[in-house]
Amino acid sequence: MKQERFDKIIATQFNISRKDARIAIRRGKATLDGKVLRDFGALVNVESDITFNGQALNYKKYIYILMNKPKGVLSASSDKNKQTVVDLVPEHLRRQGMFPVGRLDKDTTGFLIITDDGEFAHKAISPKYEVYKSYIVTLDGSLTDEMVKAFAEGIVLADGTRCRKAELEIISDNIARVKICEGKYHQIKRMFGVVGLGVNELKRESVGALTLPKGLEEGACIELSTEEIKVIFTDC
Ligand code: URA
């Protein structure tokens, strides 16, 4: 079974700094298997019976939060002036080192994972793993079958960058579903720019086979288990 330093376990699982964890442990605030443990450097089995300030620990190596990102909030961990998606994560789900997996523009809404698992984030973002992201796009003009063809062939952006093949599905005259498996800067907006349309609204509805739950309001989030998060890597 996995062992970790006692201060690291307390800091990550109860969302406090390592320094504060050490001070609290020294003061006798943490127990291991029913007894106070003041040795913050002790190597401890992560699945032991641990409490901190009387609260029992349910050890999770990483945390995965699914947020319905609202407009006007930055996809970042922190910012001096602006509110970020991590600021919106409720206190009890927050952890040091959390970050959003990929970036949605400030005015984009919808599906966003926030985690502290770097390996997972890399796999979800890297085009190599071909995880498709699906967006609902409202445009300022009419969609055509030629545009569907152009997206399927791979759009070349104004600066010469070639995009991978994308799926464009016409839902109504000016609303489309677009699926891409890469995340270039402002990619959807720039792809539509090439075919002469502007984006009025952009919402991400799913990543891989995992879709934003219907009842999840903008700004709200839910925690996903390691089993639930794996659905992202299932074909959709
Ligand atoms: N493409 C964009 O243009 N913006 C986003 O936020 C996501 C994809």
Side-chain angles (χ1 to χ4, degrees), residues 2-138:
K2 193 170 180 281
Q3 290 198 321
E4 269 181 18
R5 276 177 62 112
F6 198 41
D7 55 352
K8 184 174 177 211
I9 297 174
I10 297 295
T12 55
Q13 304 296 310
F14 292 94
N15 187 31
I16 56 173
S17 68
R18 274 285 187 103
K19 189 175 161 212
D20 287 346
R22 285 179 197 152
I23 293 168
I25 292 167
R26 272 269 181 259
R27 288 186 181 152
K29 304 282 186 196
T31 66
L32 174 71
D33 294 331
K35 289 190 198 117
V36 169
L37 178 63
R38 292 176 199 267
D39 176 6
F40 55 71
L43 277 181
V44 167
N45 177 345
V46 295
E47 283 169 24
S48 314
D49 176 7
I50 294 169
T51 69
F52 181 62
N53 283 332
Q55 207 186 320
L57 168 68
N58 169 19
Y59 181 85
K60 288 173 207 147
K61 186 166 184 202
Y62 297 117
I63 193 159
Y64 305 93
I65 308 293
L66 171 56
M67 175 179 287
N68 184 356
K69 179 192 171 297
K71 270 189 188 175
V73 177
L74 288 186
S75 289
S77 301
S78 63
D79 189 84
K80 271 198 208 123
N81 307 310
K82 306 231 166 59
Q83 192 178 40
T84 72
V85 289
V86 171
D87 295 333
L88 294 183
V89 175
E91 198 72 33
H92 71 283
L93 294 176
R94 226 180 276 170
R95 274 197 186 184
Q96 313 256 320
M98 268 186 156
F99 57 90
V101 177
R103 278 172 190 264
L104 291 180
D105 296 339
K106 200 172 163 202
D107 57 352
T108 300
T109 61
F111 187 117
L112 186 67
I113 299 286
I114 298 166
T115 185
D116 53 352
D117 182 351
E119 199 178 320
F120 160 80
H122 172 70
K123 263 186 91 177
I125 295 170
S126 169
K128 190 174 128 192
Y129 295 95
E130 297 201 342
V131 175
Y132 274 83
K133 286 96 189 166
S134 174
Y135 296 83
I136 299 293
V137 197
T138 307

Side-chain angles (χ1 to χ4, degrees), residues 103-105 108 135 180 184 186-190 202:
R103 278 172 190 264
L104 291 180
D105 296 339
T108 300
Y135 296 83
I180 55 174
K184 301 186 195 306
H186 292 334
Q187 183 165 342
I188 302 262
K189 291 172 185 161
R190 289 160 74 204
L202 185 56

Side-chain angles (χ1 to χ4, degrees), residues 137-144 147 170 172-176 192 195-200:
V137 197
T138 307
L139 299 141
D140 65 357
S142 300
L143 290 147
T144 65
M147 294 174 188
I170 300 178
S172 70
D173 177 58
N174 69 329
I175 300 181
F192 278 107
V195 296
L197 293 180
V199 171
N200 286 342

